[in-house]
Each structure stands twice: as structure tokens, then as C-alpha cells.
Amino acid sequence: MNHLQTSDYIVFLIYFVIVSGYGYWVYQRKKSVDTNSRDFFLAEGSLTWWAIGASLIASNISAEHFIGMSGSGFALGLAISSYEWMAAATLIIVAVFFIPIYLKNKIFTMPQFLSQRYNDTVATLMAIFWLLVYVFVNLTSILYLGALAVNSISGISFETCIIGLGIFSIVVTLGGMKVIGYTDVIQVLVLIMGGLVTCYLALTLVSERFGFGGDILKGLAVIKDKAPSHFHMIFEKSHPFYKDLPGLSVLVGGMWINNLNYFGCNQYITQRALGADLKTARAGLLFAAFLKMLIPLIVVIPGITMFVMHQNGMFVQEMADNGVIKPDRSYPILMNLLPNGLKGLAFAALTAAIVASLAGKANSISTIFSLDIYKKYFNKDASEKTLVRTGRVTVVVAMIIAGVVAPALRSLDQAYQFVQEYVGFISPGVLSIFLLGFFWKKSTSKAALTSAILTIPLSTVLKFLPVWTNGWFPDLPFMDRMTLVFVILVVLMIVISLLDKKGQDPAKVIAIDTKMFRVSPSFIVASTIIIGILTALYTVFW
């Protein structure tokens, strides 16, 4: 295997020194005289709009994108880009309607909102759900895919890669959200540069393969011509991957539930904006929406290019494992083809994405555990210093657990789809609780608790019902299953709320003012441009 050379390690070392040195400088320059939990977990008032947007993207884009989404690009095609392009539209909705509510009510964690709007039981139950999903699905899958990629490119053992990535991420995370936020700006620059280099190589290779002398525009034309089925955003029912992206559900169904939950009700994402003022938070989310539209160019196009080359006799052995094609090998193979030096840049980009995502996820885990579990149930009088120390210990423990569990994911072919489906077990319940909590004053704690309790069992039953009934119940795509579960839970919450004689405690109804949702002319212009671009993309690649 073509492993890293000396020049690649030099490039990577430069990246490591810059990130570590800048992170230490930020920590020393911006640290408070007194240790403050809000400052540590939220970087309250310290992040600029560009730091918020960059940090959101750096934490969101990880190995599951570079490796998993690229693998899905190999298998599914451009349609997998819907996760990114629909996310751009979702971020606009979150910026307009969700963030103002959080900031108006001084919300610092998602369980805190649930406690303030409903009760501590709902908040604690959801906090436990989030911690389990964050540690055993998100953190574990990021660490697994990251180690797999680093192992494939560098030749360093899988286990050593897990340890190394975990330690690097812990070092970044222990500095708090300010260090994460500002170092993520560098991480984003590196991952975009490295991603574009890999995309350029892929298109150059396919262009040369078909006699066009390395012209990347010709390369784009080639892959569209040679893989026309990979350039449709909306699948028909007859499509072999319809279950992964079920037709119009991408535009009007489950994709919205997935994205609104992820970007609007997710500590991991919203945490970056919760410490800012409304104008800064909105600008940061809008910047993230623009960056989101670039991601398919960085990760999906290389996957499609690898598919075309594989179909024409290239990398046949490299893409297979005991005769079985492994789509998730697409990106590591491409990176191994980069010339020395540039390969180090691409390797640094991948590592940046992994570390930033691990650090962001670990910080969210420590925030929820420290503020919503530890302080509430174990040490109500905990000092600010104690909370910060607890958060740091939580980071280390969570990373160790993820490192132990990560090797169990080796059997997956498309890890990105695995993450989306199983996070989707909790998404309908979370979104129903938040939306009704936001916009319907009569929504009660009993209704929210019912939704929280039923979301996973109901999702599980609908997933396995086709097997239990020998096909009598249709085998629904997971996005359609999310939609069905969401509708059921919303109806249940409405019915239970209306039948609840006690009703909702008036003190629990959060403050909402229509003026909160007003946006500036510049925001309207920018969001209109984003929606226009998305409309054009879906029209062209329908």
C-alpha cells in the first residue's frame, strides 16, 4: 500500500503544530480569571459569526462524510448530497425560528429547555437518550471511520489510530468551547483545501483515463456520461437504493425530520450559537449553510468518480474484500494516489475533520452530563470549578468508551447510512417534543414524556414488523418510517395534552414574541440566494 512519505509527515506536522499552538494561544488569551462553566461549555460571547459557522461545519463534517458519504456517492450517486443541500435550507429555518427561542429564554443545553418547558423527568430521560446516542453511535462511528481511514492511508495500526485520534481530540476538547470554536476555523480551511485537492485528483484521473488529458471539466462530463444513474437526486421506487433515499420523502418527508432534529434540537450543533447574541448566531448559521453546499463537491464527486473508474476496470482489487465491494474504501484509495506533500495535506484535512468532530461531540457530551445529570442529581451545590473538572473527566471517559466499542463496527459497508438510520430512531420523538413545546402552549409534560418513551420502541417495531408479519406490513424506507413515527407521536401528544385535565403549568410556557422571528434585509438576500441555488440544483439533477 502507498503509505505516507517524509514530505507528507512534514505537512501533517506543520498542521498539528499550527492547530495546537493556535489553540493554546486562544486558551491563554481568552481564558477567564475565574473558571466558569458557561464559558468552558459555551464560550459565552466569545465566538464571532465566522467562528460559529466554521466550528459548526468542522464538527459536523467528519470521517463519516469523507469516508461514509464518499462511499455512498460510489453506491448511490449524487442523491446522497441531499443530506448536505437540504441541511443548508434547514439551517436557515433554525436561524429564523429556533435560535431566537433558545436565546430569548437563556437556554444553554437542550435538556435545560425540556426542563424549563416541561419537567425534569422529560429532561433527564432525553438527556440519557442523547448521551447514549452521542457516545455509542456518533462518537463511536466517527472514531471508527477516522481510524479506518488513517490506517488505510498511513499504514499505522487500526488500534494505534484510535488511540492517537482520541488523545488529539481530548487535548483540543479540554480547552473548552472557545478553543474548539477558533481552532475549527483552521480545521475547516484545511479540510476544504484537502478535500478540493482530492476531488481535483479524482476528476483528473478519470479525464486522463478517457483521453482528455487531465481536464477536470471534461472529467465532470465523463462521469456524468458514464454514470447517468448516479446523477439523479430523486429516486423512483424501482431504484435499488430507493430504501435509502425514498423519492419525494427527501424533499417533503423524513429528510426534514432528520435535519430539523439534527440542526435545531441537537446540543452538538446548537451549542455553538447558544453563547452568542442573535445577530451573530444567525450570521454564523447562514455562513454554515453556504459551506454546506460545498461538501458534495469535496466528498460525493470523488465517490462517483471512483465508481466510474471501478466500472471501467480500475481499482477492482483495492475496492473488494473477499470478493465483496466495499464502497467506503473509495476515499482512502483516492488519497493514496495523491503525490507526496499533497497527500499530507489531504491527510491533514481528513484528520482535521475527524478531530474537530470528535472534539465537538465530546464537548456536548460533557456539557449535558455535567449540567443536566451531575449538577442536578449528584452535586446540586457543585462549584463552577467542579463542573468544569467534571466536564473534562467526562470527555476522557466518553472517548475511552468509544475507543473500546469502535472496532465492533468493522462489519459495516456504508457506515454513513448506519448512522443516519439509528439516529433516526430518536429523531421523531425529539422533534415532536420540541416543535410542540415551541409553538403550542397546551402541550403538556405527560404528552412530552409519552413521546420520549415511545420514540425508540415505536421505531423498532416498525423496522422489524415486516419480518414479524412475514411481509404483511410493508418494509418502509427508514425516512418514511421516521415520518410515520413523527406523525403518530404528534397526534398522541395533541390528544394526551387535550385530555390532560391539569393542563400545562402556565409558568412552564416559554416566552415567544413574533418580533423574535424578524430578520435583517441582508439575511433575506443571503438566504434567498441559498434557496435559489438549491432549487436550481434539484431542477437540473431531478
Side-chain angles (χ1 to χ4, degrees):
M1 181 173 288
N2 181 21
H3 293 159
L4 298 176
Q5 303 301 315
T6 302
S7 57
D8 299 316
Y9 283 113
I10 291 173
V11 171
F12 180 80
L13 182 62
I14 292 172
Y15 149 74
F16 179 83
V17 170
I18 290 174
V19 171
S20 302
Y22 182 59
Y24 181 75
W25 179 79
V26 169
Y27 176 74
Q28 290 294 329
R29 182 170 178 264
K30 293 182 175 290
K31 70 178 181 179
S32 304
V33 176
D34 297 319
T35 305
N36 184 294
S37 62
R38 290 181 181 177
D39 189 62
F40 177 79
F41 294 119
L42 299 175
E44 193 168 16
S46 298
L47 297 183
T48 59
W49 65 267
W50 44 269
I52 291 172
S55 182
L56 191 155
I57 293 300
S59 297
N60 172 235
I61 304 305
S62 184
E64 64 191 70
H65 287 77
F66 275 91
I67 308 303
M69 185 170 274
S70 185
S72 292
F74 180 99
L76 305 170
L78 192 64
I80 198 65
S81 302
S82 283
Y83 279 103
E84 304 307 301
W85 289 341
M86 294 297 288
T90 304
L91 283 166
I92 295 173
I93 293 174
V94 172
V96 175
F97 296 107
F98 286 37
I99 290 299
I101 297 175
Y102 292 142
L103 297 182
K104 174 77 173 179
N105 292 276
K106 295 180 171 55
I107 300 299
F108 301 109
T109 71
M110 297 300 98
Q112 180 199 346
F113 167 78
L114 297 177
S115 178
Q116 189 170 316
R117 175 60 180 86
Y118 295 110
N119 60 31
D120 286 344
T121 303
V122 175
T124 302
L125 181 61
M126 292 308 301
I128 293 171
F129 280 170
W130 273 312
L131 288 174
L132 291 174
V133 171
Y134 285 175
V135 174
F136 290 100
V137 177
N138 297 118
L139 200 66
T140 300
S141 63
I142 295 168
L143 196 55
Y144 161 72
L145 285 170
L148 185 68
V150 173
N151 165 255
S152 300
I153 296 160
S154 67
I156 300 171
S157 72
F158 179 77
E159 292 74 15
T160 302
C161 291
I162 286 180
I163 295 171
L165 289 172
I167 292 174
F168 192 178
S169 304
I170 288 171
V171 169
V172 173
T173 311
L174 294 184
M177 181 52 73
K178 277 186 290 195
V179 173
I180 294 171
Y182 282 104
T183 55
D184 279 353
V185 176
I186 298 177
Q187 311 271 44
V188 161
L189 289 174
V190 173
L191 74 86
I192 289 178
M193 287 171 57
L196 289 175
V197 165
T198 306
C199 183
Y200 176 83
L201 168 76
L203 292 174
T204 300
L205 278 174
V206 78
S207 177
E208 291 175 346
R209 172 73 175 179
F210 289 92
F212 293 106
D215 187 324
I216 62 169
L217 294 179
K218 292 290 186 181
L220 278 171
V222 166
I223 62 175
K224 192 173 186 304
D225 178 63
K226 298 295 181 180
S229 62
H230 276 51
F231 283 86
H232 291 290
M233 297 300 298
I234 306 299
F235 291 162
E236 301 290 338
K237 284 191 175 181
S238 58
H239 196 283
F241 290 101
Y242 178 82
K243 285 189 66 178
D244 293 316
L245 292 167
L248 289 176
S249 290
V250 170
L251 295 178
V252 297
M255 184 69 79
W256 284 106
I257 296 170
N258 178 79
N259 281 342
L260 284 171
N261 168 66
Y262 183 84
F263 291 102
C265 313
N266 185 349
Q267 184 73 28
Y268 176 48
I269 296 299
T270 57
Q271 188 161 336
R272 277 131 188 84
L274 294 181
D277 61 80
L278 181 57
K279 182 180 179 181
T280 303
R282 277 180 167 164
L285 292 176
L286 203 58
F287 180 46
F290 273 107
L291 293 176
K292 263 292 183 185
M293 293 192 293
L294 292 175
I295 303 306
L297 179 63
I298 294 173
V299 296
V300 179
I301 295 299
I304 299 174
T305 304
M306 179 58 75
F307 172 79
V308 171
M309 289 189 287
H310 180 267
Q311 291 297 101
N312 286 272
M314 298 176 68
F315 311 113
V316 175
Q317 292 183 345
E318 291 89 339
M319 286 296 297
D321 182 10
N322 294 323
V324 179
I325 296 175
K326 295 287 186 179
D328 283 350
R329 291 187 175 183
S330 299
Y331 206 85
I333 290 172
L334 280 173
M335 286 185 62
N336 273 323
L337 299 175
L338 284 168
N340 295 340
L342 285 180
K343 185 176 178 182
L345 176 62
F347 182 59
L350 180 62
T351 305
I354 297 164
V355 170
S357 197
L358 285 171
K361 186 65 72 177
N363 184 268
S364 295
I365 291 167
S366 69
T367 302
I368 291 177
F369 179 80
S370 301
L371 301 183
D372 298 297
I373 301 293
Y374 177 78
K375 182 175 176 60
K376 189 177 290 186
Y377 295 102
F378 295 98
N379 190 353
K380 293 182 180 180
D381 300 319
S383 65
E384 294 292 299
K385 187 174 182 179
T386 299
L387 287 175
V388 172
R389 184 170 61 248
T390 301
R392 286 175 170 150
V393 172
T394 303
V395 166
V396 176
V397 172
M399 202 68 70
I400 291 173
I401 292 173
V404 172
V405 176
L409 302 183
R410 285 182 184 237
S411 61
L412 298 177
D413 288 332
Q414 289 189 58
Y416 189 79
Q417 294 297 91
F418 160 80
V419 173
Q420 299 304 324
E421 176 163 6
Y422 285 95
V423 170
F425 274 47
I426 192 175
S427 298
V430 173
L431 187 60
S432 63
I433 292 170
F434 273 75
L435 286 183
L436 291 181
F438 287 153
F439 304 114
W440 193 45
K441 294 181 179 180
K442 294 183 179 180
S443 179
T444 66
S445 302
K446 287 182 180 179
L449 185 60
T450 300
S451 185
I453 291 173
L454 290 181
T455 182
I456 292 179
L458 192 54
S459 297
T460 304
V461 168
L462 289 178
K463 177 176 174 62
F464 294 104
L465 200 57
V467 177
W468 298 337
T469 61
N470 291 319
W472 175 81
F473 187 83
D475 187 8
L476 297 172
F478 80 90
M479 279 192 192
D480 290 345
R481 189 169 66 242
M482 275 199 297
T483 303
L484 180 57
V485 172
F486 175 74
V487 171
I488 291 172
L489 293 177
V490 167
V491 171
L492 277 175
M493 285 189 68
I494 292 173
V495 171
I496 292 171
S497 296
L498 293 175
L499 293 177
D500 191 348
K501 295 181 180 180
K502 291 184 179 180
Q504 181 63 11
D505 183 354
K508 289 289 186 179
V509 177
I510 61 170
I512 291 184
D513 181 352
T514 55
K515 293 180 181 179
M516 296 161 47
F517 306 129
R518 294 177 182 175
V519 295
S520 66
S522 59
F523 185 95
I524 294 174
V525 171
S527 58
T528 300
I529 292 172
I530 292 173
I531 298 300
I533 294 172
L534 293 176
T535 302
L537 287 169
Y538 276 93
T539 301
V540 171
F541 297 111
W542 185 271

